């Protein structure tokens, strides 16, 4: 099913079964490409936003994500997207084991979400600080190769 929508403006800056500190370096494409979500991906994200079961104290991000008329996202909406919504839908959209680029995108996304979850947690330790550092470095390095 192909739905017609306006030109999407949603973009990510935004999954490995092993911890990133033990993951071997995933080969990344040598030719960086611009990143854009295609209309099918945007529809899947919107569907997840509209149908996900959330606790009553969590505000749902806008269902028309990617359209200019919803305006800029607030920090809390971005946090919900990156810690709840995107981790549910992005792996399903990008999981193509034969695609080197998609594998690199998923690993990049994994490191971004992992670093975000550590940064917003209500606890800290030397171990978490080290894990954050590993995920942040992996995210920055893979971003340079991807984009």
């Amino acid at each position: 099913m192909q739905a017609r929508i306006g030109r999407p403006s949603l973009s990510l800056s935004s999954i490995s079964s092993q911890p990133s500190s033990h993951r071997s370096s995933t080969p990344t494409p040598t030719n960086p490409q611009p990143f854009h979500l295609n209309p099918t991906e945007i529809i899947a994200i919107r569907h997840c936003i509209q149908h996900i079961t959330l606790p009553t104290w969590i505000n749902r991000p806008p269902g028309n994500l990617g359209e200019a008329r919803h305006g800029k996202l607030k920090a809390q909406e971005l946090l919900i997207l990156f810690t709840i919504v995107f981790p549910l839908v992005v792996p399903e959209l990008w999981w193509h084991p034969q695609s080197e680029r998609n594998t690199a995108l998923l690993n990049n996304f994994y490191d971004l979400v992992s670093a975000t979850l550590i940064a917003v947690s209500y606890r800290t330790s030397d171990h978490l600080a080290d894990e954050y550092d590993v995920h942040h470095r992996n995210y920055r390095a893979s971003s340079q190769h991807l984009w």
Side-chain angles (χ1 to χ4, degrees):
M1 180 177 115
Q2 182 95 4
R4 292 190 67 131
I5 57 175
R7 187 161 222 262
S9 62
L10 179 67
S11 64
L12 299 174
S13 293
S14 32
I15 304 301
S16 174
S17 60
Q18 299 176 335
S20 61
S21 57
H22 305 327
R23 183 173 5 116
S24 63
S25 177
T26 302
T28 56
T30 55
N31 55 340
Q33 302 170 5
F35 178 79
H36 300 285
L37 291 172
N38 66 43
T40 304
E41 293 170 330
I42 291 176
I43 289 169
I45 291 169
R46 288 176 181 167
H47 183 269
C48 184
I49 289 170
Q50 294 167 357
H51 294 94
I52 188 173
T53 302
L54 294 172
T56 56
W57 64 86
I58 295 180
N59 293 328
R60 192 174 302 278
N64 62 343
L65 195 64
E67 293 179 5
R69 70 176 184 220
H70 75 67
K72 293 183 179 181
L73 294 174
K74 296 178 181 165
Q76 186 64 28
E77 293 170 326
L78 284 169
L79 183 63
I80 292 166
L81 284 172
F82 275 92
T83 60
I84 299 172
V85 177
F86 289 163
L88 292 174
V89 71
V90 168
E92 289 182 26
L93 297 173
W94 292 350
W95 179 247
H96 303 286
Q98 309 87 328
S99 170
E100 189 176 299
R101 177 153 174 87
N102 279 35
T103 300
L105 282 169
L106 275 175
N107 284 325
N108 178 268
F109 177 73
Y110 165 76
D111 286 317
L112 174 62
V113 170
S114 296
T116 302
L117 289 171
I118 292 169
V120 300
S121 68
Y122 288 100
R123 57 193 170 107
T124 187
S125 68
D126 289 340
H127 173 73
L128 285 175
D130 292 341
E131 280 296 307
Y132 174 85
D133 191 44
V134 167
H135 289 298
H136 185 253
R137 287 176 194 241
N138 288 345
Y139 170 73
R140 299 263 326 255
S142 64
S143 292
Q144 289 177 344
H145 290 287
L146 288 166
W147 295 285

